[in-house]
Amino acid sequence: VHLRKPATTETLLQEIPDVVIIATGAVPSMPDIPGIERLFVFTSWVVLEKHVVLTDMLVLVGGGGTVGAETALYLAPKNKRVFIIEALEGLALDMEPINRMDLLSKIEASKIDVMLRRKIDRIEQDGVYLFNQETGEEEHIKADTVILSLGATPVNELARDLEGKVEKVFLVGDCAKPRKIIDAVHEGFRAGIGV
């Protein structure tokens, strides 16, 4: 076990491996939204890892998948008002049905404002401008803080670099494709027995 040592193509090839199992994860997706670089815009990952503390604010969570919905629920008791903006027709559609029902009831009880079928058009100093997919009109929501929960992007450059240099390379978890932890566990098991 090598701690505090980066796994690079060079350091791995020095070990002359027959097999490399890569589990480098993912990073939050940052789509090309004007204003995304503003200082009051964060990702759900930063909020849930408690790198930033948000209290007594108007919070807009962009993205109503499982992570976005749970982030909004986490922030609701500490802030004035929380909005979830989701492009699809429902929240947490990627979640297992029984847990989803429980999450949705908690969101309703928390008085979180849910706005479906809307996309973030741009983020300005005075708030967020949305595109309403049903009406085709622009909408504006005042927000002190914007939390983006718009998916994840795999971190798999190492796998590409090792291609053709190592006999077998297995991708495990989000570096293959962002999904659930059960998928990562299953892939790790399959990689382990396939060695």
Side-chain angles (χ1 to χ4, degrees):
V1 176
H2 299 274
L3 301 176
R4 297 186 181 166
K5 182 178 179 184
T8 65
T9 305
E10 294 74 30
T11 59
L12 291 172
L13 291 177
Q14 285 174 2
E15 302 294 327
I16 313 170
D18 297 313
V19 176
V20 175
I21 299 172
I22 299 175
T24 46
V27 294
S29 292
M30 299 299 283
D32 190 20
I33 297 172
I36 201 170
E37 73 288 344
R38 293 187 183 274
L39 296 178
F40 58 88
V41 179
F42 304 97
T43 66
S44 284
W45 296 23
V46 168
V47 171
L48 295 175
E49 290 172 358
K50 297 185 173 111
H51 294 298
V52 64
V53 177
L54 303 173
T55 56
D56 205 29
M57 294 188 179
L58 297 174
V59 179
L60 183 142
V61 177
T66 300
V67 175
E70 289 180 344
T71 301
L73 192 59
Y74 168 74
L75 291 170
K78 304 170 188 173
N79 290 281
K80 292 180 194 169
R81 194 167 179 192
V82 176
F83 296 86
I84 300 175
I85 306 302
E86 171 55 49
L88 301 177
E89 294 184 12
L91 291 181
L93 295 174
D94 53 338
M95 191 176 231
E96 182 273 320
I98 293 173
N99 291 335
R100 180 175 181 260
M101 286 173 35
D102 181 53
L103 177 67
L104 294 179
S105 70
K106 288 177 180 173
I107 286 173
E108 186 177 345
S110 296
K111 307 278 191 255
I112 295 169
D113 291 286
V114 177
M115 301 176 76
L116 302 174
R117 307 257 312 126
R118 283 151 172 104
K119 291 185 177 181
I120 296 175
D121 182 56
R122 67 190 187 280
I123 303 167
E124 300 282 356
Q125 198 62 40
D126 66 343
V128 180
Y129 289 82
L130 309 173
F131 174 72
N132 185 321
Q133 298 177 88
E134 291 177 353
T135 66
E137 295 176 359
E138 182 177 81
E139 298 174 344
H140 173 258
I141 296 182
K142 183 169 174 22
D144 300 315
T145 303
V146 177
I147 310 300
L148 298 177
S149 186
L150 302 173
T153 302
V155 176
N156 55 18
E157 294 82 17
L158 190 57
R160 288 194 297 270
D161 291 347
L162 290 173
E163 224 172 272
K165 298 174 183 163
V166 176
E167 186 179 330
K168 287 184 183 177
V169 176
F170 293 96
L171 295 176
V172 173
D174 286 353
C175 71
K177 179 182 172 187
R179 290 150 298 144
K180 306 274 184 253
I181 193 160
I182 193 167
D183 299 307
V185 171
H186 181 68
E187 287 167 356
F189 172 76
R190 287 182 58 206
I193 63 170
V195 172

